[in-house]
Amino acid sequence: MTTSKNIMLLAGDGIGPEIMAEAVRVLNRVGVLYDVDFTLAEGLIGGCAYDADGTPLSDETLAIAAKSDAILLGAVGGPQWAKTAYDKRPEAGLLRLRKDLDLFANLRPAQCFEALADASSLKREFVTGLNILIVRELSSGVYFGEPRGIETLDDGSRVGLNTQRYTTHEIDRITRVAFDMARKRDSRVASAEKANVMESGLMWREDVTAIQAADYPDVALEHVLADNCAMQLVKNPKQYDVILTDNLFGDLLSDVAAMLTGSLGMLPSASLGASGPGVYEPVHGSAPDIAGQGLANPSAMILSLAMALRYSLGMGAAADKVEAAVAAALQAGFRTGDIMADGCTKVSTKGMGDAILDQLGHT
Ligand code: NAD
């Protein structure tokens, strides 16, 4: 029997619509291959939403998104909205989406495709076969903790203040995501904090240790100081399977890991809550410098779709197939400009979509 799924498409600004169009082609092919009826709803987010509705994410769009099974998001932002009020900026739409859906877990895989190993900043032998998953807490920590602000002291000097704060509940739920993910991979978690100098880090370490002992004895746990983790990522990244970390350290460590893979145009991400739809989006931004020219690499968007299939739509086999199709298209030598190499065939955004669809096959 045909199953049906509701997918919200928020293409956003810049190259967002171009890469989304290719992801939709792949999604439709997956629907045919796996006999799933995808009902697609399109909405505006970011600068285009502000131009149309005066807000970067309208209540109506949010309501439709919240009821969907998964949300695919392109990218938001561009220089034309740089002077827009802070709460109306394109990024404010993203933050509202994350907050309203209580997306506390950010998943960023750093996977090095064999065909792109030479594009990494590290030598090929350090990155070939690299497959790390960074699980970053997204909704708490120093980016949200109170008190915060900039104050003027009695002597006229100023103090800037942010607060690192984590509750047991917040640590518990992100830790369980990391351990659950590890069970589907190589069953190893490295938890990164600064227990040596931060009480919040010490508590994080104690809580993670207790959760592992009680509920995940089958998953190996190692604790690593976040600064050492950054060094290890550059020295020997393949030692890691899942890295569990907080909002601030995750922001930095995921960017370090991203560069090991060689290209921004290849990096997907997922943001998940306790229930409800996840948001799946490329790591890169709206690339205004190449927007509208058919130059964008749609792979990160298509790999984000693969994550949606795996984590929100219960279609793990389809996710594997899409990822394999992207790898095979690269292996066959097809490249957008951002990842072009000697001897390869340069293709447009649509051309890359065609190459991936060719590898996906037909019924
Ligand atoms: P960017 O990621 O948009 O672009 C950085 C560089 O990488 C550019 O040269 C761009 O052409 C290239 N690039 C990015 N994605 C590519 C792709 N798929 N294929 C080929 N080349 C690609 O970062 P930026 O230039 O710093 O930011 C541009 C805008 O995007 C800003 O308004 C920024 O605020 C916004 N932004 C949005 C998000 C998001 O929506 N989540 C994330 C980061 C930046």
Side-chain angles (χ1 to χ4, degrees):
M1 200 182 75
T2 307
T3 48
S4 76
K5 304 275 183 194
N6 295 313
I7 311 294
M8 181 83 196
L9 307 176
L10 299 172
D13 307 315
I15 61 171
E18 299 165 62
I19 56 175
M20 185 65 83
E22 299 314 310
V24 168
R25 291 208 294 150
V26 171
L27 183 63
N28 287 333
R29 179 69 61 82
V30 168
V32 172
L33 291 173
Y34 290 86
D35 198 16
V36 176
D37 182 14
F38 291 114
T39 303
L40 309 181
E42 288 183 46
L44 299 177
I45 191 169
C48 59
Y50 173 73
D51 289 347
D53 307 323
T55 171
L57 181 65
S58 71
D59 293 345
E60 294 74 23
T61 304
L62 189 55
I64 301 168
K67 285 203 200 108
S68 65
D69 294 307
I71 300 165
L72 297 183
L73 196 148
V76 300
Q80 60 271 57
W81 298 288
K83 295 204 166 81
T84 310
Y86 192 71
D87 63 334
K88 303 278 186 205
R89 287 222 186 132
E91 295 74 15
L94 267 188
L95 293 179
R96 182 169 186 215
L97 189 66
R98 286 179 188 157
K99 188 161 184 292
D100 273 56
L101 298 177
D102 197 15
L103 304 175
F104 65 87
N106 185 226
L107 273 48
R108 290 219 350 209
Q111 192 179 353
C112 187
F113 290 94
E114 170 66 29
L116 295 181
D118 290 323
S120 170
S121 48
L122 295 191
K123 292 193 191 87
R124 169 176 267 278
E125 62 262 33
F126 290 110
V127 293
T128 307
L130 178 75
N131 187 353
I132 304 174
L133 179 66
I134 300 201
V135 177
R136 167 191 171 193
E137 201 290 328
L138 196 62
S139 63
S140 185
V142 74
Y143 293 165
F144 294 92
E146 300 279 350
R148 63 185 297 160
I150 301 174
E151 291 164 21
T152 303
L153 301 176
D154 291 345
D155 67 359
S157 64
R158 297 198 305 158
V159 58
L161 177 68
N162 290 92
T163 303
Q164 169 81 333
R165 184 178 186 280
Y166 270 107
T167 64
T168 295
H169 168 65
E170 289 164 345
I171 296 171
D172 185 274
R173 62 184 189 171
I174 191 69
T175 298
R176 289 180 190 280
V177 169
F179 280 111
D180 288 340
M181 294 288 159
R183 273 186 175 154
K184 295 177 189 155
R185 298 166 50 95
D186 199 30
S187 289
R188 292 184 293 120
V189 170
S191 173
E193 28 60 7
K194 291 282 288 177
N196 54 339
V197 286
M198 296 169 74
E199 284 76 4
S200 60
L202 182 59
M203 195 180 103
W204 178 288
R205 185 176 287 216
E206 290 171 355
D207 286 6
V208 171
T209 303
I211 293 163
Q212 187 263 352
D215 294 331
Y216 297 92
D218 52 311
V219 179
L221 170 65
E222 132 188 47
H223 300 284
V224 56
L225 295 175
D227 51 341
N228 184 27
C229 187
M231 278 199 284
Q232 295 301 323
L233 276 174
V234 180
K235 192 175 166 205
N236 177 20
K238 283 194 267 183
Q239 68 184 285
Y240 294 121
D241 179 26
V242 173
I243 295 175
L244 162 66
T245 191
D246 74 8
N247 203 344
L248 174 63
F249 297 135
D251 197 356
L252 309 183
L253 293 175
S254 56
D255 274 10
V256 173
M259 273 304 101
L260 304 176
T261 68
S263 170
L264 209 47
M266 299 299 305
L267 292 164
S269 79
S271 300
L272 309 179
S275 58
V279 173
Y280 299 87
E281 59 181 316
V283 167
H284 61 72
S286 58
D289 53 331
I290 57 166
Q293 301 169 49
L295 297 174
N297 185 349
S299 301
M301 186 75 243
I302 291 168
L303 292 168
S304 300
L305 162 63
M307 292 186 83
L309 292 167
R310 179 173 294 120
Y311 297 124
S312 281
L313 303 171
M315 299 178 66
D320 291 345
K321 196 168 171 72
V322 170
E323 287 167 354
V326 172
L330 293 172
Q331 206 62 47
F334 295 102
R335 299 279 194 282
T336 42
D338 57 316
I339 50 173
M340 186 57 192
D342 286 349
C344 292
T345 309
K346 193 169 175 185
V347 289
S348 65
T349 306
K350 183 169 179 303
M352 196 67 196
D354 288 338
I356 293 167
L357 282 169
D358 278 350
Q359 299 293 339
L360 260 183
H362 301 267
T363 44

Short mmCIF file of all heavy atoms in Angstrom, two decimals, residues 5 27 30 38 69-70 72 107 109 111 131 133 180-181 184-185 268 270 272 280 302-324:
data_model
loop_
_atom_site.label_atom_id
_atom_site.label_comp_id
_atom_site.label_asym_id
_atom_site.label_seq_id
_atom_site.Cartn_x
_atom_site.Cartn_y
_atom_site.Cartn_z
N LYS A 5 3.42 11.02 2.97
CA LYS A 5 4.20 11.87 3.90
C LYS A 5 4.07 13.31 3.45
O LYS A 5 4.08 13.60 2.25
CB LYS A 5 5.69 11.49 3.85
CG LYS A 5 5.99 10.04 4.13
CD LYS A 5 6.11 9.79 5.61
CE LYS A 5 6.50 8.34 5.91
NZ LYS A 5 6.30 8.00 7.31
N LEU A 27 13.58 13.74 -4.42
CA LEU A 27 12.49 13.29 -3.55
C LEU A 27 11.40 12.60 -4.36
O LEU A 27 10.90 11.53 -3.99
CB LEU A 27 11.92 14.49 -2.80
CG LEU A 27 10.82 14.22 -1.78
CD1 LEU A 27 11.33 13.34 -0.64
CD2 LEU A 27 10.29 15.53 -1.19
N VAL A 30 12.52 9.21 -5.34
CA VAL A 30 12.46 8.29 -4.18
C VAL A 30 11.02 7.83 -3.96
O VAL A 30 10.77 6.66 -3.68
CB VAL A 30 13.02 8.98 -2.91
CG1 VAL A 30 12.70 8.17 -1.65
CG2 VAL A 30 14.54 9.18 -3.03
N PHE A 38 4.64 11.63 -1.61
CA PHE A 38 5.08 12.82 -0.89
C PHE A 38 4.18 14.00 -1.26
O PHE A 38 4.10 14.37 -2.44
CB PHE A 38 6.53 13.17 -1.24
CG PHE A 38 7.52 12.18 -0.70
CD1 PHE A 38 8.27 11.39 -1.57
CD2 PHE A 38 7.72 12.03 0.66
CE1 PHE A 38 9.20 10.47 -1.08
CE2 PHE A 38 8.65 11.11 1.15
CZ PHE A 38 9.38 10.33 0.28
N ASP A 69 5.78 16.21 8.20
CA ASP A 69 6.61 15.10 8.69
C ASP A 69 8.09 15.46 8.68
O ASP A 69 8.88 14.91 9.44
CB ASP A 69 6.38 13.86 7.81
CG ASP A 69 4.95 13.34 7.97
OD1 ASP A 69 4.55 13.10 9.12
OD2 ASP A 69 4.26 13.20 6.95
N ALA A 70 8.47 16.36 7.78
CA ALA A 70 9.87 16.81 7.72
C ALA A 70 9.91 18.16 7.00
O ALA A 70 9.06 18.44 6.15
CB ALA A 70 10.74 15.80 6.99
N LEU A 72 12.34 20.63 4.74
CA LEU A 72 13.58 20.84 3.99
C LEU A 72 13.79 22.34 3.85
O LEU A 72 12.88 23.06 3.43
CB LEU A 72 13.49 20.22 2.60
CG LEU A 72 13.32 18.71 2.51
CD1 LEU A 72 13.34 18.28 1.04
CD2 LEU A 72 14.43 17.99 3.27
N LEU A 107 22.58 17.79 14.24
CA LEU A 107 23.42 16.68 13.77
C LEU A 107 24.19 17.13 12.55
O LEU A 107 23.59 17.51 11.54
CB LEU A 107 22.52 15.51 13.36
CG LEU A 107 22.08 14.49 14.40
CD1 LEU A 107 21.56 15.14 15.65
CD2 LEU A 107 21.03 13.57 13.80
N PRO A 109 26.99 15.54 10.13
CA PRO A 109 27.94 14.51 9.70
C PRO A 109 29.12 15.17 8.97
O PRO A 109 28.91 16.13 8.22
CB PRO A 109 27.14 13.64 8.73
CG PRO A 109 25.83 14.29 8.55
CD PRO A 109 25.81 15.59 9.28
N GLN A 111 31.59 13.71 6.48
CA GLN A 111 31.91 12.48 5.76
C GLN A 111 32.75 12.87 4.55
O GLN A 111 32.38 13.80 3.83
CB GLN A 111 30.60 11.85 5.30
CG GLN A 111 30.75 10.46 4.79
CD GLN A 111 29.41 9.87 4.38
OE1 GLN A 111 28.35 10.47 4.61
NE2 GLN A 111 29.45 8.73 3.76
N ASN A 131 34.17 9.46 8.59
CA ASN A 131 32.72 9.48 8.77
C ASN A 131 32.42 9.76 10.24
O ASN A 131 32.32 8.84 11.05
CB ASN A 131 32.12 8.14 8.32
CG ASN A 131 30.61 8.18 8.33
OD1 ASN A 131 29.99 9.14 8.79
ND2 ASN A 131 30.00 7.12 7.83
N LEU A 133 30.05 11.92 13.16
CA LEU A 133 28.78 12.63 13.38
C LEU A 133 28.94 13.52 14.61
O LEU A 133 29.23 13.01 15.71
CB LEU A 133 27.63 11.64 13.60
CG LEU A 133 26.28 12.29 13.84
CD1 LEU A 133 25.79 13.04 12.61
CD2 LEU A 133 25.25 11.26 14.27
N ASP A 180 21.91 7.14 21.05
CA ASP A 180 21.03 6.44 20.11
C ASP A 180 21.63 6.43 18.70
O ASP A 180 21.58 5.43 17.99
CB ASP A 180 19.64 7.10 20.08
CG ASP A 180 18.84 6.82 21.35
OD1 ASP A 180 19.17 5.86 22.06
OD2 ASP A 180 17.89 7.59 21.63
N MET A 181 22.21 7.57 18.30
CA MET A 181 22.85 7.65 16.98
C MET A 181 24.05 6.69 16.92
O MET A 181 24.27 6.01 15.93
CB MET A 181 23.36 9.07 16.71
CG MET A 181 22.27 10.10 16.59
SD MET A 181 21.38 9.87 15.05
CE MET A 181 19.87 10.71 15.41
N LYS A 184 23.50 3.19 16.00
CA LYS A 184 23.25 2.89 14.58
C LYS A 184 24.54 2.99 13.77
O LYS A 184 24.53 2.87 12.56
CB LYS A 184 22.23 3.88 14.02
CG LYS A 184 20.87 3.76 14.64
CD LYS A 184 19.94 4.83 14.07
CE LYS A 184 18.64 4.88 14.85
NZ LYS A 184 17.96 6.15 14.79
N ARG A 185 25.66 3.28 14.45
CA ARG A 185 26.93 3.48 13.74
C ARG A 185 27.96 2.53 14.35
O ARG A 185 27.74 1.33 14.36
CB ARG A 185 27.35 4.95 13.86
CG ARG A 185 26.34 5.92 13.22
CD ARG A 185 26.60 7.35 13.64
NE ARG A 185 28.00 7.70 13.47
CZ ARG A 185 28.50 8.30 12.38
NH1 ARG A 185 27.69 8.68 11.42
NH2 ARG A 185 29.79 8.55 12.29
N PRO A 268 25.63 18.35 4.76
CA PRO A 268 24.24 18.44 5.20
C PRO A 268 24.14 18.63 6.72
O PRO A 268 25.14 18.48 7.43
CB PRO A 268 23.70 17.05 4.84
CG PRO A 268 24.87 16.16 5.07
CD PRO A 268 26.11 16.96 4.74
N ALA A 270 21.04 18.25 10.19
CA ALA A 270 19.67 18.02 10.66
C ALA A 270 19.53 18.65 12.03
O ALA A 270 20.48 18.63 12.82
CB ALA A 270 19.40 16.52 10.77
N LEU A 272 16.88 18.34 15.25
CA LEU A 272 15.77 17.52 15.72
C LEU A 272 15.26 17.97 17.08
O LEU A 272 16.03 18.44 17.91
CB LEU A 272 16.21 16.05 15.83
CG LEU A 272 16.92 15.43 14.63
CD1 LEU A 272 17.31 13.99 14.95
CD2 LEU A 272 16.02 15.47 13.41
N TYR A 280 15.91 20.00 7.96
CA TYR A 280 17.07 19.46 7.24
C TYR A 280 17.58 20.51 6.27
O TYR A 280 16.84 20.96 5.39
CB TYR A 280 16.65 18.17 6.52
CG TYR A 280 16.20 17.14 7.52
CD1 TYR A 280 14.88 17.09 7.97
CD2 TYR A 280 17.12 16.27 8.10
CE1 TYR A 280 14.48 16.19 8.94
CE2 TYR A 280 16.73 15.36 9.08
CZ TYR A 280 15.40 15.33 9.49
OH TYR A 280 15.02 14.44 10.47
N ILE A 302 20.75 17.78 -1.19
CA ILE A 302 20.28 16.42 -1.47
C ILE A 302 20.69 15.46 -0.34
O ILE A 302 19.93 14.58 0.07
CB ILE A 302 20.79 15.95 -2.85
CG1 ILE A 302 20.06 16.78 -3.94
CG2 ILE A 302 20.58 14.46 -3.07
CD1 ILE A 302 20.64 16.65 -5.33
N LEU A 303 21.88 15.69 0.23
CA LEU A 303 22.31 14.86 1.37
C LEU A 303 21.49 15.21 2.63
O LEU A 303 21.28 14.36 3.50
CB LEU A 303 23.81 15.05 1.63
CG LEU A 303 24.71 14.48 0.52
CD1 LEU A 303 26.15 14.96 0.69
CD2 LEU A 303 24.66 12.95 0.50
N SER A 304 21.02 16.47 2.70
CA SER A 304 20.11 16.83 3.81
C SER A 304 18.78 16.10 3.65
O SER A 304 18.20 15.62 4.63
CB SER A 304 19.87 18.35 3.84
OG SER A 304 21.08 19.05 4.01
N LEU A 305 18.34 15.99 2.42
CA LEU A 305 17.13 15.20 2.15
C LEU A 305 17.33 13.75 2.61
O LEU A 305 16.44 13.14 3.20
CB LEU A 305 16.79 15.26 0.66
CG LEU A 305 15.84 14.19 0.12
CD1 LEU A 305 14.47 14.30 0.77
CD2 LEU A 305 15.70 14.30 -1.40
N ALA A 306 18.52 13.22 2.34
CA ALA A 306 18.80 11.84 2.77
C ALA A 306 18.68 11.73 4.29
O ALA A 306 18.13 10.74 4.82
CB ALA A 306 20.20 11.41 2.31
N MET A 307 19.17 12.75 5.00
CA MET A 307 19.03 12.72 6.47
C MET A 307 17.56 12.77 6.88
O MET A 307 17.16 12.11 7.85
CB MET A 307 19.79 13.89 7.11
CG MET A 307 21.30 13.81 6.96
SD MET A 307 22.16 15.13 7.87
CE MET A 307 22.21 14.45 9.54
N ALA A 308 16.75 13.54 6.15
CA ALA A 308 15.31 13.60 6.46
C ALA A 308 14.69 12.22 6.26
O ALA A 308 13.87 11.77 7.07
CB ALA A 308 14.63 14.63 5.56
N LEU A 309 15.07 11.55 5.20
CA LEU A 309 14.54 10.20 4.95
C LEU A 309 14.89 9.28 6.12
O LEU A 309 14.07 8.50 6.59
CB LEU A 309 15.11 9.64 3.64
CG LEU A 309 14.67 10.34 2.35
CD1 LEU A 309 15.53 9.91 1.17
CD2 LEU A 309 13.20 10.07 2.05
N ARG A 310 16.12 9.41 6.61
CA ARG A 310 16.60 8.51 7.66
C ARG A 310 15.98 8.85 9.02
O ARG A 310 15.52 7.97 9.74
CB ARG A 310 18.13 8.57 7.75
CG ARG A 310 18.70 7.68 8.83
CD ARG A 310 20.22 7.60 8.79
NE ARG A 310 20.69 6.94 7.58
CZ ARG A 310 21.49 7.51 6.67
NH1 ARG A 310 21.92 8.75 6.85
NH2 ARG A 310 21.86 6.85 5.60
N TYR A 311 15.97 10.13 9.39
CA TYR A 311 15.65 10.49 10.78
C TYR A 311 14.20 10.91 11.00
O TYR A 311 13.71 10.84 12.12
CB TYR A 311 16.59 11.60 11.27
CG TYR A 311 18.03 11.17 11.30
CD1 TYR A 311 19.01 11.88 10.62
CD2 TYR A 311 18.42 10.04 12.02
CE1 TYR A 311 20.34 11.48 10.65
CE2 TYR A 311 19.74 9.63 12.06
CZ TYR A 311 20.70 10.36 11.36
OH TYR A 311 22.01 9.96 11.39
N SER A 312 13.50 11.40 9.96
CA SER A 312 12.11 11.82 10.18
C SER A 312 11.10 10.96 9.44
O SER A 312 9.94 10.95 9.80
CB SER A 312 11.90 13.28 9.74
OG SER A 312 12.39 14.19 10.70
N LEU A 313 11.54 10.29 8.38
CA LEU A 313 10.56 9.62 7.53
C LEU A 313 10.65 8.09 7.61
O LEU A 313 9.92 7.38 6.92
CB LEU A 313 10.72 10.09 6.07
CG LEU A 313 10.58 11.61 5.90
CD1 LEU A 313 10.96 12.05 4.49
CD2 LEU A 313 9.17 12.07 6.22
N GLY A 314 11.57 7.60 8.44
CA GLY A 314 11.68 6.15 8.62
C GLY A 314 12.05 5.41 7.36
O GLY A 314 11.61 4.28 7.14
N MET A 315 12.85 6.05 6.49
CA MET A 315 13.22 5.44 5.21
C MET A 315 14.74 5.32 5.10
O MET A 315 15.38 5.89 4.22
CB MET A 315 12.65 6.27 4.05
CG MET A 315 11.13 6.38 4.07
SD MET A 315 10.48 7.41 2.74
CE MET A 315 10.92 6.47 1.28
N GLY A 316 15.30 4.53 6.01
CA GLY A 316 16.76 4.38 6.07
C GLY A 316 17.36 3.83 4.79
O GLY A 316 18.42 4.28 4.35
N ALA A 317 16.67 2.86 4.18
CA ALA A 317 17.21 2.26 2.96
C ALA A 317 17.25 3.29 1.83
O ALA A 317 18.22 3.34 1.04
CB ALA A 317 16.37 1.05 2.54
N ALA A 318 16.21 4.13 1.76
CA ALA A 318 16.18 5.17 0.74
C ALA A 318 17.29 6.19 0.99
O ALA A 318 17.93 6.68 0.04
CB ALA A 318 14.82 5.87 0.73
N ALA A 319 17.53 6.50 2.27
CA ALA A 319 18.61 7.44 2.62
C ALA A 319 19.96 6.89 2.15
O ALA A 319 20.76 7.61 1.53
CB ALA A 319 18.63 7.67 4.13
N ASP A 320 20.20 5.60 2.42
CA ASP A 320 21.45 4.97 1.97
C ASP A 320 21.59 5.07 0.46
O ASP A 320 22.67 5.34 -0.07
CB ASP A 320 21.47 3.48 2.36
CG ASP A 320 21.59 3.28 3.87
OD1 ASP A 320 21.93 4.25 4.57
OD2 ASP A 320 21.31 2.15 4.32
N LYS A 321 20.48 4.86 -0.23
CA LYS A 321 20.50 4.85 -1.70
C LYS A 321 20.83 6.25 -2.24
O LYS A 321 21.61 6.38 -3.20
CB LYS A 321 19.14 4.37 -2.22
CG LYS A 321 19.15 3.94 -3.67
CD LYS A 321 17.85 3.21 -4.01
CE LYS A 321 17.70 2.94 -5.49
NZ LYS A 321 18.56 1.91 -6.02
N VAL A 322 20.22 7.28 -1.64
CA VAL A 322 20.50 8.65 -2.10
C VAL A 322 21.97 9.00 -1.84
O VAL A 322 22.65 9.56 -2.70
CB VAL A 322 19.55 9.66 -1.39
CG1 VAL A 322 19.99 11.09 -1.68
CG2 VAL A 322 18.11 9.44 -1.84
N GLU A 323 22.47 8.64 -0.65
CA GLU A 323 23.87 8.94 -0.35
C GLU A 323 24.80 8.20 -1.31
O GLU A 323 25.80 8.77 -1.78
CB GLU A 323 24.18 8.57 1.10
CG GLU A 323 23.55 9.56 2.08
CD GLU A 323 23.55 9.12 3.53
OE1 GLU A 323 23.95 7.96 3.81
OE2 GLU A 323 23.13 9.90 4.39
N ALA A 324 24.46 6.97 -1.60
CA ALA A 324 25.29 6.20 -2.54
C ALA A 324 25.24 6.82 -3.93
O ALA A 324 26.25 6.82 -4.66
CB ALA A 324 24.80 4.74 -2.58
#
